[in-house]
Tab-separated table of all heavy atoms in Angstrom:
chain	number	residue	atom	x	y	z
A	4	ARG	N	10.413	-8.020	10.134
A	4	ARG	CA	10.517	-6.785	9.352
A	4	ARG	C	9.124	-6.154	9.217
A	4	ARG	O	8.139	-6.821	8.962
A	4	ARG	CB	11.083	-7.069	7.951
A	4	ARG	CG	12.403	-7.821	7.977
A	4	ARG	CD	12.852	-8.194	6.571
A	4	ARG	NE	13.911	-9.195	6.595
A	4	ARG	CZ	15.197	-8.937	6.697
A	4	ARG	NH1	15.602	-7.676	6.769
A	4	ARG	NH2	16.099	-9.911	6.710
A	5	ARG	N	9.113	-4.837	9.385
A	5	ARG	CA	7.892	-4.077	9.112
A	5	ARG	C	7.721	-3.914	7.612
A	5	ARG	O	8.642	-3.490	6.909
A	5	ARG	CB	7.967	-2.709	9.736
A	5	ARG	CG	7.303	-2.550	11.084
A	5	ARG	CD	7.106	-1.058	11.343
A	5	ARG	NE	6.738	-0.778	12.708
A	5	ARG	CZ	6.262	0.369	13.123
A	5	ARG	NH1	6.108	1.371	12.238
A	5	ARG	NH2	5.957	0.586	14.399
A	6	VAL	N	6.532	-4.232	7.137
A	6	VAL	CA	6.176	-3.942	5.764
A	6	VAL	C	4.881	-3.139	5.800
A	6	VAL	O	3.896	-3.558	6.407
A	6	VAL	CB	5.984	-5.236	4.945
A	6	VAL	CG1	5.776	-4.903	3.472
A	6	VAL	CG2	7.163	-6.178	5.121
A	7	TYR	N	4.867	-1.960	5.173
A	7	TYR	CA	3.774	-1.008	5.348
A	7	TYR	C	2.668	-1.209	4.295
A	7	TYR	O	2.942	-1.582	3.136
A	7	TYR	CB	4.316	0.413	5.261
A	7	TYR	CG	5.237	0.757	6.391
A	7	TYR	CD1	6.612	0.532	6.303
A	7	TYR	CD2	4.748	1.324	7.566
A	7	TYR	CE1	7.464	0.836	7.346
A	7	TYR	CE2	5.597	1.652	8.611
A	7	TYR	CZ	6.949	1.393	8.497
A	7	TYR	OH	7.801	1.699	9.546
A	8	LEU	N	1.448	-0.935	4.734
A	8	LEU	CA	0.306	-0.955	3.824
A	8	LEU	C	0.187	0.428	3.188
A	8	LEU	O	0.108	1.454	3.888
A	8	LEU	CB	-0.976	-1.289	4.590
A	8	LEU	CG	-1.282	-2.763	4.846
A	8	LEU	CD1	-0.163	-3.468	5.586
A	8	LEU	CD2	-2.604	-2.917	5.616
A	9	SER	N	0.186	0.451	1.873
A	9	SER	CA	0.141	1.711	1.123
A	9	SER	C	-1.037	1.674	0.163
A	9	SER	O	-1.375	0.616	-0.402
A	9	SER	CB	1.437	1.893	0.335
A	9	SER	OG	1.306	2.921	-0.633
A	10	ALA	N	-1.663	2.817	-0.043
A	10	ALA	CA	-2.780	2.921	-0.979
A	10	ALA	C	-2.336	2.923	-2.431
A	10	ALA	O	-3.165	2.743	-3.335
A	10	ALA	CB	-3.603	4.172	-0.703
A	11	GLU	N	-1.061	3.113	-2.681
A	11	GLU	CA	-0.555	3.133	-4.054
A	11	GLU	C	-0.855	1.824	-4.764
A	11	GLU	O	-0.600	0.742	-4.227
A	11	GLU	CB	0.953	3.394	-4.075
A	11	GLU	CG	1.336	4.790	-3.654
A	11	GLU	CD	0.756	5.840	-4.584
A	11	GLU	OE1	0.810	5.654	-5.817
A	11	GLU	OE2	0.184	6.844	-4.086
A	12	PRO	N	-1.424	1.850	-5.961
A	12	PRO	CA	-1.818	0.603	-6.633
A	12	PRO	C	-0.614	-0.252	-7.008
A	12	PRO	O	0.432	0.267	-7.418
A	12	PRO	CB	-2.546	1.100	-7.874
A	12	PRO	CG	-2.073	2.492	-8.102
A	12	PRO	CD	-1.770	3.056	-6.735
A	13	SER	N	-0.781	-1.568	-6.848
A	13	SER	CA	0.266	-2.514	-7.257
A	13	SER	C	0.068	-2.960	-8.687
A	13	SER	O	0.996	-3.515	-9.298
A	13	SER	CB	0.253	-3.724	-6.323
A	13	SER	OG	-0.874	-4.555	-6.580
A	14	GLY	N	-1.147	-2.778	-9.211
A	14	GLY	CA	-1.429	-3.216	-10.561
A	14	GLY	C	-1.655	-4.706	-10.677
A	14	GLY	O	-1.637	-5.247	-11.793
A	15	THR	N	-1.901	-5.376	-9.540
A	15	THR	CA	-2.020	-6.842	-9.568
A	15	THR	C	-3.387	-7.340	-9.122
A	15	THR	O	-3.655	-8.538	-9.217
A	15	THR	CB	-0.964	-7.476	-8.650
A	15	THR	OG1	-1.199	-7.069	-7.301
A	15	THR	CG2	0.430	-7.080	-9.079
A	16	ALA	N	-4.272	-6.494	-8.609
A	16	ALA	CA	-5.547	-6.938	-8.041
A	16	ALA	C	-6.653	-5.983	-8.456
A	16	ALA	O	-7.320	-5.347	-7.613
A	16	ALA	CB	-5.467	-7.056	-6.528
A	17	GLY	N	-6.888	-5.884	-9.746
A	17	GLY	CA	-7.824	-4.875	-10.263
A	17	GLY	C	-9.244	-5.075	-9.846
A	17	GLY	O	-10.036	-4.116	-9.867
A	18	LYS	N	-9.668	-6.290	-9.456
A	18	LYS	CA	-11.054	-6.530	-9.102
A	18	LYS	C	-11.299	-6.456	-7.584
A	18	LYS	O	-12.420	-6.672	-7.124
A	18	LYS	CB	-11.514	-7.886	-9.623
A	18	LYS	CG	-11.537	-7.933	-11.155
A	18	LYS	CD	-12.078	-9.239	-11.671
A	18	LYS	CE	-12.141	-9.239	-13.201
A	18	LYS	NZ	-12.673	-10.510	-13.754
A	19	ALA	N	-10.265	-6.152	-6.823
A	19	ALA	CA	-10.427	-6.010	-5.384
A	19	ALA	C	-11.129	-4.682	-5.086
A	19	ALA	O	-11.213	-3.776	-5.916
A	19	ALA	CB	-9.059	-6.021	-4.702
A	20	VAL	N	-11.642	-4.571	-3.850
A	20	VAL	CA	-12.227	-3.282	-3.418
A	20	VAL	C	-11.200	-2.176	-3.566
A	20	VAL	O	-11.548	-1.057	-3.994
A	20	VAL	CB	-12.719	-3.382	-1.957
A	20	VAL	CG1	-13.202	-2.035	-1.455
A	20	VAL	CG2	-13.838	-4.419	-1.845
A	21	HIS	N	-9.954	-2.478	-3.200
A	21	HIS	CA	-8.865	-1.561	-3.457
A	21	HIS	C	-7.588	-2.363	-3.679
A	21	HIS	O	-7.299	-3.301	-2.943
A	21	HIS	CB	-8.665	-0.602	-2.295
A	21	HIS	CG	-7.591	0.420	-2.570
A	21	HIS	ND1	-7.834	1.609	-3.226
A	21	HIS	CD2	-6.235	0.405	-2.305
A	21	HIS	CE1	-6.713	2.287	-3.348
A	21	HIS	NE2	-5.729	1.583	-2.804
A	22	ASP	N	-6.844	-1.982	-4.674
A	22	ASP	CA	-5.551	-2.619	-5.000
A	22	ASP	C	-4.431	-1.743	-4.458
A	22	ASP	O	-4.090	-0.727	-5.064
A	22	ASP	CB	-5.428	-2.804	-6.513
A	22	ASP	CG	-4.008	-3.172	-6.939
A	22	ASP	OD1	-3.312	-3.837	-6.135
A	22	ASP	OD2	-3.617	-2.834	-8.082
A	23	GLY	N	-3.916	-2.103	-3.300
A	23	GLY	CA	-2.827	-1.341	-2.692
A	23	GLY	C	-1.512	-2.069	-2.757
A	23	GLY	O	-1.387	-3.139	-3.385
A	24	SER	N	-0.513	-1.517	-2.078
A	24	SER	CA	0.838	-2.068	-2.143
A	24	SER	C	1.403	-2.336	-0.752
A	24	SER	O	0.951	-1.745	0.228
A	24	SER	CB	1.779	-1.100	-2.884
A	24	SER	OG	1.364	-0.900	-4.213
A	25	LEU	N	2.402	-3.203	-0.693
A	25	LEU	CA	3.240	-3.398	0.480
A	25	LEU	C	4.583	-2.754	0.181
A	25	LEU	O	5.201	-3.064	-0.842
A	25	LEU	CB	3.424	-4.890	0.800
A	25	LEU	CG	2.195	-5.662	1.276
A	25	LEU	CD1	2.539	-7.148	1.469
A	25	LEU	CD2	1.645	-5.091	2.587
A	26	THR	N	5.042	-1.896	1.064
A	26	THR	CA	6.289	-1.176	0.844
A	26	THR	C	7.159	-1.227	2.092
A	26	THR	O	6.663	-1.457	3.204
A	26	THR	CB	6.017	0.290	0.477
A	26	THR	OG1	5.340	0.929	1.562
A	26	THR	CG2	5.146	0.402	-0.771
A	27	MET	N	8.432	-0.986	1.924
A	27	MET	CA	9.358	-1.028	3.058
A	27	MET	C	9.403	0.298	3.796
A	27	MET	O	10.044	0.405	4.846
A	27	MET	CB	10.761	-1.402	2.573
A	27	MET	CG	10.859	-2.809	1.984
A	27	MET	SD	10.288	-4.112	3.117
A	27	MET	CE	11.495	-4.003	4.433
A	28	SER	N	8.706	1.314	3.294
A	28	SER	CA	8.649	2.607	3.991
A	28	SER	C	7.191	3.042	4.133
A	28	SER	O	6.330	2.639	3.345
A	28	SER	CB	9.427	3.677	3.213
A	28	SER	OG	8.941	3.802	1.906
A	29	ALA	N	6.918	3.856	5.143
A	29	ALA	CA	5.551	4.298	5.415
A	29	ALA	C	5.042	5.154	4.267
A	29	ALA	O	5.824	5.845	3.582
A	29	ALA	CB	5.512	5.074	6.719
A	30	PRO	N	3.738	5.113	4.008
A	30	PRO	CA	3.190	5.906	2.909
A	30	PRO	C	3.408	7.414	3.158
A	30	PRO	O	3.439	7.875	4.301
A	30	PRO	CB	1.695	5.551	2.903
A	30	PRO	CG	1.426	5.055	4.289
A	30	PRO	CD	2.682	4.380	4.730
A	31	ALA	N	3.548	8.159	2.083
A	31	ALA	CA	3.825	9.593	2.199
A	31	ALA	C	2.560	10.411	2.443
A	31	ALA	O	2.604	11.503	2.996
A	31	ALA	CB	4.525	10.085	0.945
A	32	GLU	N	1.403	9.867	2.005
A	32	GLU	CA	0.162	10.625	2.124
A	32	GLU	C	-0.859	9.812	2.926
A	32	GLU	O	-0.848	8.586	2.925
A	32	GLU	CB	-0.433	10.927	0.734
A	32	GLU	CG	0.461	11.804	-0.106
A	32	GLU	CD	-0.167	12.092	-1.471
A	32	GLU	OE1	-1.248	11.530	-1.753
A	32	GLU	OE2	0.420	12.862	-2.225
A	33	ARG	N	-1.753	10.543	3.579
A	33	ARG	CA	-2.803	9.894	4.339
A	33	ARG	C	-3.958	9.532	3.425
A	33	ARG	O	-4.382	10.316	2.584
A	33	ARG	CB	-3.292	10.831	5.458
A	33	ARG	CG	-4.409	10.224	6.276
A	33	ARG	CD	-4.774	11.117	7.450
A	33	ARG	NE	-5.864	10.546	8.239
A	33	ARG	CZ	-6.292	11.051	9.376
A	33	ARG	NH1	-5.724	12.137	9.885
A	33	ARG	NH2	-7.300	10.487	10.023
A	34	ARG	N	-4.443	8.287	3.596
A	34	ARG	CA	-5.600	7.821	2.839
A	34	ARG	C	-6.498	6.999	3.758
A	34	ARG	O	-6.035	6.318	4.680
A	34	ARG	CB	-5.166	6.933	1.662
A	34	ARG	CG	-4.501	7.684	0.512
A	34	ARG	CD	-5.528	8.412	-0.354
A	34	ARG	NE	-6.514	7.493	-0.917
A	34	ARG	CZ	-6.322	6.790	-2.042
A	34	ARG	NH1	-5.194	6.887	-2.705
A	34	ARG	NH2	-7.282	6.005	-2.500
């Protein structure tokens, strides 16, 4: 299964360089 990398925050990794999400659909915006 494809799982997409999204810039939308997951709220679970606040100290990372960036806290993004894994989603079942491609992100709507370019980042």
Side-chain angles (χ1 to χ4, degrees):
R4 306 175 195 273
R5 263 197 192 194
V6 187
Y7 294 89
L8 277 57
S9 167
E11 290 299 315
S13 71
T15 63
K18 294 184 179 180
V20 174
H21 183 86
D22 168 30
S24 298
L25 292 177
T26 62
M27 296 304 295
S28 57
E32 297 180 356
R33 180 174 179 174
R34 288 283 301 276

